[in-house]
Amino acid sequence: MQHMIKLLSVVILFAMISCNEAPATTSTTSAETPAVTGGQEKVSDDVSQKDVVKVAVASQDHTTLVAALKQADLVTALSNAGPFTVFAPTNAAFDKLPAGTVEGLMKNDKKDDLQNILQYHVTLSALDASSFTDGQVLGMVNGDNVTVNIKDGKVMLNNSATIVASIRASNGMVHVIDGVLLPPAKK
């Protein structure tokens, strides 16, 4: 009987040791697997629908907007789930601003002003162009409002920029506009 107890004790001890052993793992060095930094904008995906930032990046007509989004540190925010409606001025729209305006806003000490202007082009919803109505007021991310006007079937914003195209994105809508929206002066 004592022999049985000793044998059973050895079996139980062996079972306990086996269960507590960590499984073998393989380790990789940072040279083998580079660390990924950044947010959603760093995800590489050539199959799924593009988010609002990737829509702009893919457009030759929006290089100024993309550069401004990078300078204002807004790429990560606009790459997230949303939903967002982005009114995306073309390069030609930025060219209509007084000479030196864009260059001045791209300076580090003007980052807050640049963010304010860019956030005046974004609302937190996914609005299709057909959902806009004349006189509709949209609350923008910067806290100000944009008024929608419809004239001759064309959708305008603040009577200064016309929607010339609309693209659905994975996290909202991008409406290409022919003018830059400037927020009202702060009182």
Side-chain angles (χ1 to χ4, degrees):
M1 180 74 155
Q2 283 182 338
H3 185 53
M4 253 339 216
I5 293 175
K6 285 182 183 179
L7 182 60
L8 187 56
S9 297
V10 169
V11 170
I12 291 173
L13 181 61
F14 180 72
M16 289 173 54
I17 291 171
S18 296
C19 289
N20 287 333
E21 285 185 21
T25 60
T26 58
S27 63
T28 58
T29 64
S30 61
E32 294 170 354
T33 308
V36 177
T37 58
Q40 185 70 20
E41 78 277 8
K42 296 294 183 181
V43 173
S44 178
D45 180 359
D46 295 331
V47 178
S48 300
Q49 188 176 27
K50 292 174 174 38
D51 62 44
V52 294
V53 173
K54 289 179 178 134
V55 167
V57 167
S59 169
Q60 296 176 5
D61 293 327
H62 289 91
T63 57
T64 305
L65 176 61
V66 171
L69 289 171
K70 289 177 182 177
Q71 176 64 21
D73 290 330
L74 293 175
V75 172
T76 298
L78 290 173
S79 297
N80 288 322
F84 303 108
T85 297
V86 176
F87 298 102
T90 61
N91 294 339
F94 282 104
D95 291 343
K96 292 178 186 177
L97 294 173
T101 301
V102 174
E103 294 79 10
L105 287 168
M106 297 295 273
K107 294 181 179 176
N108 288 334
D109 64 332
K110 294 295 185 180
K111 187 181 220 173
D112 290 342
D113 294 336
L114 181 60
Q115 287 176 338
N116 184 44
I117 291 169
L118 293 174
Q119 290 172 347
Y120 191 58
H121 288 78
V122 180
T123 187
L124 298 178
S125 56
L127 300 171
D128 189 88
S130 64
S131 68
F132 295 125
T133 58
D134 192 45
Q136 182 178 5
V137 176
L138 304 174
M140 307 310 278
V141 171
N142 77 335
D144 290 314
N145 295 320
V146 166
T147 302
V148 175
N149 307 99
I150 300 179
K151 294 181 182 172
D152 299 325
K154 293 182 181 182
V155 179
M156 294 185 71
L157 306 167
N158 291 345
N159 283 319
S160 64
T162 303
I163 295 176
V164 295
S166 298
I167 302 121
R168 182 161 301 282
S170 64
N171 61 346
M173 287 293 297
V174 176
H175 296 292
V176 178
I177 57 175
D178 64 358
V180 176
L181 302 172
L182 297 174
K186 299 293 180 192
K187 297 177 184 179

